[in-house]
Amino acid sequence: QVQLQESGPGLVKPSETLSLTCTVSGGSISSYYWSWIRQPPGKGLEWIGYIYYSGSTKYNPSLKSRVTISVDTSKNQFSLKLSSVTAADTAVYYCVRDGGRFDYWGQGTLVTVSS
Amino acid sequence: QSVLTQPPSVSGAPGQRVTISCTGSSSNIGAGYDVHWYQQLPGTAPKLLIYDNSNRPSGVPDRFSGSKSGTSASLAITGLQAEDEADYYCQSYDSSLSGSKVFGGGTKLTVL
């Protein structure tokens, strides 16, 4: 059974860079796409972007200028960086296996942007 | 404003049937892209409920079904149970603006 676990700081200051890592266990990160999805408190889901195990990426156009997703196949991990954050980036961030549909989800991690 | 439009809320009594609509456009559902549905119980991560318009992952009861026609899709839940009370999201792909995976705004299902 594939499991995903997000890790990273729960508090980030405005204008700084949010950094999260997702560790995949129970299966190889190879041969799949891997996405980040976020959910502001009390609101809906927003797709941030995905990475293929080979390193190719695609980002949500609305966030593209601030997002970088990378992969480390040796550690079975992929990561998210979101720069120049504001309070509007406060959300639960999920890492997800992306096989066209999002079939395996991490538990999510709340990241709050505040000084 | 979500690219896919869902009703904010629906409700039904135990045992009843409810449907949740997901309306898109010619750049997403109408273009032939598949629709997937997710169930989010309170305080938990979303769970894949229906994939590729009408398929159920292993373990999802057959009380849940999905369909797609034209620029819309629907999720139907029959024999409503208290445990079905949750938020439901549709998701597809939109080919406009460089392409993006898109979600509906979500529908809160209340079991009366």
Side-chain angles (χ1 to χ4, degrees):
Chain A
Q1 179 81 343
V2 175
Q3 293 184 312
L4 298 91
Q5 179 67 57
E6 305 88 353
S7 59
L11 181 64
V12 181
K13 289 182 168 54
S15 80
E16 295 190 344
T17 297
L18 177 159
S19 295
L20 295 174
T21 296
C22 181
T23 301
V24 179
S25 59
S28 173
I29 203 167
S30 298
S31 301
Y32 281 99
Y33 290 83
W34 304 88
S35 275
W36 287 96
I37 291 167
R38 70 180 183 178
Q39 184 173 35
K43 296 187 178 181
L45 302 167
E46 180 181 34
W47 176 73
I48 298 170
Y50 69 55
I51 189 164
Y52 193 46
Y53 77 99
S54 63
S56 62
T57 56
K58 189 170 184 70
Y59 302 135
N60 187 324
S62 68
L63 298 169
K64 187 176 181 178
S65 63
R66 299 193 292 130
V67 173
T68 302
I69 299 176
S70 58
V71 65
D72 186 337
T73 55
S74 68
K75 294 182 179 179
N76 238 32
Q77 294 177 335
F78 63 107
S79 298
L80 168 70
K81 290 188 185 300
L82 181 65
S83 64
S84 305
V85 297
T86 70
D89 296 309
T90 293
V92 174
Y93 286 76
Y94 295 101
C95 58
V96 188
R97 193 176 81 169
D98 185 348
R101 65 267 193 177
F102 303 121
D103 54 1
Y104 289 96
W105 295 66
Q107 66 183 24
T109 187
L110 174 63
V111 179
T112 301
V113 178
S114 175
S115 55
Chain B
Q1 193 80 356
S2 300
V3 173
L4 304 178
T5 301
Q6 297 179 235
S9 63
V10 299
S11 63
Q16 285 189 332
R17 177 181 188 269
V18 297
T19 61
I20 298 172
S21 61
C22 175
T23 303
S25 67
S26 58
S27 62
N28 43 69
I29 299 175
Y33 295 110
D34 288 326
V35 178
H36 317 294
W37 291 90
Y38 303 87
Q39 177 192 57
Q40 186 175 32
L41 297 170
T44 70
K47 165 193 164 186
L48 180 65
L49 194 65
I50 297 288
Y51 68 94
D52 295 351
N53 309 312
S54 59
N55 296 292
R56 284 185 308 276
S58 174
V60 173
D62 60 7
R63 301 186 297 104
F64 296 90
S65 63
S67 63
K68 173 187 156 183
S69 178
T71 58
S72 295
S74 289
L75 172 71
I77 309 171
T78 59
L80 207 55
Q81 299 180 6
E83 67 209 48
D84 299 332
E85 188 160 294
D87 293 322
Y88 293 84
Y89 294 89
C90 61
Q91 178 253 315
S92 186
Y93 177 86
D94 191 283
S95 59
S96 64
L97 298 175
S98 303
S100 182
K101 304 204 176 204
V102 292
F103 286 95
T107 299
K108 170 67 177 179
L109 168 62
T110 300
V111 181
L112 301 171

